[in-house]
Amino acid sequence: MAAIKTSEVLKLKIAPNLPRRLAWEARRTIRLTGTGAVAGIGCALLALLAQWHATQLDQQRTALAAQLDIAARTAAAPKAPVATTASGVAAFFDHLPAHDAIPDQLKELVRVAQQSNIALAKAEYKPEQDGNAGFLRYQITLPVKADFANVQSFLITALQTLPTLTLESVAFKREQIEAGEVEARIQFVLLVRRQEERR
């Protein structure tokens, strides 16, 4: 038996007129089978494509239904009680400075003002009882006249230095647009424990 050369097996001869030959075969097949058969084959292919698409949509629907089920169970699960009940209120009061510490808090505020190059010429202090709450709101009003950047630095540093100090309002006024200084009316509120709430 004669041996087959590998080079002969791998050589494929492609006709130079293959595209025209395929088009002719397609026209011949349509003529032999009829347009109805070709239309039927096309409809069968469309039906298979539609079936594949429906399967994909069903898989997506199943995955979304599972996600919705998990989300619904998570939303319906009872929430853990928030720890800000009696222990949270007690922690809040423990965080507040004592009523006797008001002078020290005000000295610290003056120190921060000096550090920010703010001269505190005058100030208004007014204690405000907050109903039956166990703390006192100590309102501090400071009219100042200084460079805007210094006022801004003072506000930020004061709020960072005194944790129970809050900024209630600030109003700026400048006499002329080109003026470097601004007049500011700053209202702070310092939260402290009431005297009867000493611990």
Side-chain angles (χ1 to χ4, degrees):
M1 187 171 175
I4 300 173
K5 291 182 182 176
T6 311
S7 59
E8 291 178 359
V9 173
L10 293 177
K11 285 183 182 175
L12 295 173
K13 290 187 178 179
I14 298 173
N17 60 350
L18 183 63
R20 285 185 288 160
R21 175 76 181 178
L22 289 174
W24 180 83
E25 286 291 339
R27 285 194 301 271
R28 181 175 168 265
T29 304
I30 290 171
R31 269 192 312 246
L32 291 176
T33 57
T35 54
V38 173
I41 292 170
C43 287
L45 289 173
L46 283 174
L48 286 172
L49 182 63
Q51 178 62 36
W52 174 82
H53 189 61
T55 304
Q56 297 296 316
L57 288 176
D58 189 50
Q59 289 174 354
Q60 289 178 3
R61 184 193 59 78
T62 305
L64 287 173
Q67 289 177 359
L68 282 173
D69 185 47
I70 291 169
R73 277 189 273 128
T74 304
K79 303 279 188 281
V82 181
T84 57
T85 53
S87 62
V89 172
F92 170 73
F93 284 118
D94 287 340
H95 181 68
L96 294 178
H99 187 273
D100 295 341
I102 291 175
D104 295 331
Q105 298 284 312
L106 295 177
K107 283 179 190 172
E108 187 64 19
L109 187 63
V110 170
R111 186 194 66 76
V112 171
Q114 290 171 346
Q115 180 184 339
S116 302
N117 295 322
I118 301 284
L120 296 178
K122 76 177 202 179
E124 298 172 19
Y125 306 102
K126 185 171 87 172
E128 295 178 344
Q129 297 289 342
D130 202 354
N132 291 328
F135 59 89
L136 176 75
R137 290 169 46 92
Y138 201 74
Q139 191 177 63
I140 306 163
T141 305
L142 303 172
V144 298
K145 187 172 185 178
D147 188 67
F148 177 79
N150 291 348
V151 175
Q152 185 180 24
S153 171
F154 168 60
L155 293 174
I156 293 169
T157 310
L159 293 172
Q160 290 173 343
T161 306
L162 301 166
T164 61
L165 185 73
T166 61
L167 180 63
E168 189 164 78
S169 70
V170 60
F172 293 101
K173 186 173 89 171
R174 184 178 284 177
E175 291 180 11
Q176 297 175 352
I177 295 174
E178 63 274 2
E181 290 187 334
V182 293
E183 291 181 28
R185 183 175 172 82
I186 303 167
Q187 285 192 328
F188 286 119
V189 171
L190 179 67
L191 299 179
V192 295
R193 288 197 299 265
R194 286 165 62 177
Q195 285 181 311
E196 61 267 26
E197 290 292 326
R198 266 185 234 173
R199 296 174 185 243

